[in-house]
Amino acid sequence: MKKIKTCIFPVAGLGSRFLPATKSIPKEMLVVVDKPLIQYAVEEAKAAGIERFIFVTSQGKSAIEDHFDSSPVLEETLKKRGKVAEVERLEALRLDPGQAVYIRQHAPLGLGHAVLCAQHLVNEDAFALILADDLVLADEPCLQQMIQEYTPQDGNMVGVMEVPMEQTHRYGILDVLQHKGKKVLAQEVIEKPSLEKSPSNIAIIGRYILNQSIFNYLQNQIPGAGGEIQLTDAIQAMLKKVPLCGYRYKGHRFDCGTKEGWLEANLAFALEQPDLRINLQKNLQQYFPLNSGNQKECA
Ligand code: UTP
């Protein structure tokens, strides 16, 4: 089987849930501890063997392009000052010429439309897609887990997790036909169903391996939930011809498109770093005194 070498990163969304922080800074440039979200996404893709990086951007997102470009003045200055580690860190994040492509989505018409914008750049039978605002903390990077297990018979593969039933209206939800180890075969996918209409609590996260033919379906897709062209609607429309496989990845996913998720991710990723962990744990105790519940009761 041919390896998956291309990954699309849609980064053209409005980020309205994070305003005003995202007014002039792309949501994908929000920092978790010491790296922007989009860098975690690119590193995850690199670890999974991706060689072509397609960013679907929009007006006001040029910081993303700059982030993966060389910065001669900064690098020269750091070198002169003997800051070797810092220079190495900058060099490591650079994408080679020709590896990265930036295209524009002219209006935020939805995730499905953003993916469609990359159609003419994808030649392979299957390609990967990462939503950078879904950050996954895992021993083995999430996309790598999926690519290792993917076979063409899986059709479209989506990373999935279980969510509380009362949260299904925030996700694309699978109607599961069969469980096969870490894979689940779906017979339907519904975008943001209400609690009553939700067929399960198996929710899609921002990791996909998609069959090339999805572009044909996206071309004809009418706007769905939220008035946007939804990727899940196209996946659903394909189901008669292309199967849908959910993959239960190993790891913890943070929704960094929300304040709570982003704050939690900062804590979790900081606690992973030995130089931050001890002081952080100590300092956090003042915000969460162990007996605060009891004190309230006594007062
Ligand atoms: P979201 O659903 O999180 O939307 O997009 P958003 O616009 O970024 O944020 P809110 O809801 O206004 O707070 C999921 C992913 O799809 C991309 C986003 O950049 C994000 O990575 N996207 C979404 C696009 O590229 N284009 C779109 O038209 C919509």
Side-chain angles (χ1 to χ4, degrees):
M1 194 198 117
K2 277 194 207 152
K3 291 222 177 97
I4 289 156
K5 294 286 173 204
T6 297
C7 186
I8 300 178
F9 302 86
V11 292
L14 291 177
S16 54
R17 285 168 294 167
F18 235 116
L19 285 169
T22 47
K23 183 166 178 278
S24 58
I25 295 168
K27 174 171 71 172
E28 297 76 14
M29 286 300 290
L30 289 176
V31 169
V32 168
V33 184
D34 55 2
K35 286 189 280 193
L37 289 169
I38 192 65
Q39 188 178 333
Y40 285 98
V42 166
E43 286 175 357
E44 182 178 329
K46 275 187 181 171
I50 295 297
E51 292 171 0
R52 296 187 72 227
F53 303 81
I54 302 172
F55 299 85
V56 183
T57 74
S58 58
Q59 211 176 18
K61 302 269 181 169
S62 53
I64 295 175
E65 209 163 327
D66 290 342
H67 188 71
F68 293 107
D69 202 354
S70 61
S71 38
V73 176
L74 176 61
E75 284 170 38
E76 263 319 298
T77 312
L78 289 172
K79 270 183 201 159
K80 275 188 201 146
R81 293 179 185 175
K83 301 213 177 251
V84 181
E86 285 80 355
V87 173
E88 282 173 0
R89 239 175 276 151
L90 290 182
E91 283 171 353
L93 78 89
R94 195 184 305 150
L95 291 173
D96 292 337
Q99 267 199 316
V101 184
Y102 298 87
I103 49 167
R104 287 254 173 142
Q105 184 189 25
H106 296 293
L109 301 179
L111 174 59
H113 181 262
V115 174
L116 182 60
C117 292
Q119 176 173 21
H120 62 291
L121 296 167
V122 179
N123 303 313
E124 297 91 335
D125 294 339
F127 61 94
L129 170 69
I130 292 184
L131 306 187
D133 50 354
D134 263 354
L135 185 56
V136 182
L137 183 59
D139 290 339
E140 184 183 4
C142 185
L143 186 64
Q144 188 177 325
Q145 296 176 41
M146 289 172 62
I147 287 181
Q148 267 166 12
E149 297 286 329
Y150 179 78
T151 67
Q153 290 70 39
D154 291 322
N156 290 316
M157 180 184 262
V158 290
V160 293
M161 65 175 191
E162 289 184 24
V163 297
M165 278 308 282
E166 60 276 14
Q167 287 181 17
T168 54
H169 65 280
R170 289 165 42 182
Y171 299 90
I173 299 289
L174 301 191
D175 187 352
V176 177
L177 190 65
Q178 201 185 354
H179 292 263
K180 285 190 202 162
K182 287 185 175 171
K183 292 184 182 177
V184 292
L185 185 65
Q187 58 185 350
E188 197 183 4
V189 55
I190 307 179
E191 184 63 23
K192 301 187 172 68
S194 61
L195 176 59
E196 300 73 35
K197 290 197 176 149
S198 192
S200 77
N201 68 338
I202 307 290
I204 300 179
I205 67 151
R207 299 292 180 279
Y208 305 75
I209 298 172
L210 297 172
N211 184 284
Q212 233 265 355
S213 62
I214 192 146
F215 293 119
N216 302 333
Y217 292 82
L218 284 170
Q219 271 171 351
N220 300 315
Q221 203 56 58
I222 53 164
E228 295 191 339
I229 296 176
Q230 296 288 353
L231 182 65
T232 40
D233 291 347
I235 294 174
Q236 167 66 21
M238 292 170 82
L239 256 171
K240 277 190 198 136
K241 291 200 174 153
V242 181
L244 172 58
C245 169
Y247 183 79
R248 292 174 186 271
Y249 62 93
K250 215 168 167 203
H252 189 103
R253 169 261 190 188
F254 300 91
D255 180 1
C256 292
T258 68
K259 291 171 213 171
E260 304 90 299
W262 174 79
L263 285 166
E264 214 188 313
N266 269 286
L267 276 181
F269 277 75
L271 290 169
E272 288 290 302
Q273 297 194 9
D275 57 328
L276 295 176
R277 188 188 308 128
I278 294 170
N279 276 343
L280 187 59
Q281 277 174 333
K282 210 162 43 181
N283 292 335
L284 279 175
Q285 279 168 16
Q286 62 180 303
Y287 297 100
F288 306 106
L290 284 176
N291 296 320
S292 60
N294 294 343
Q295 281 165 7
K296 231 179 182 177
E297 268 174 34
C298 295

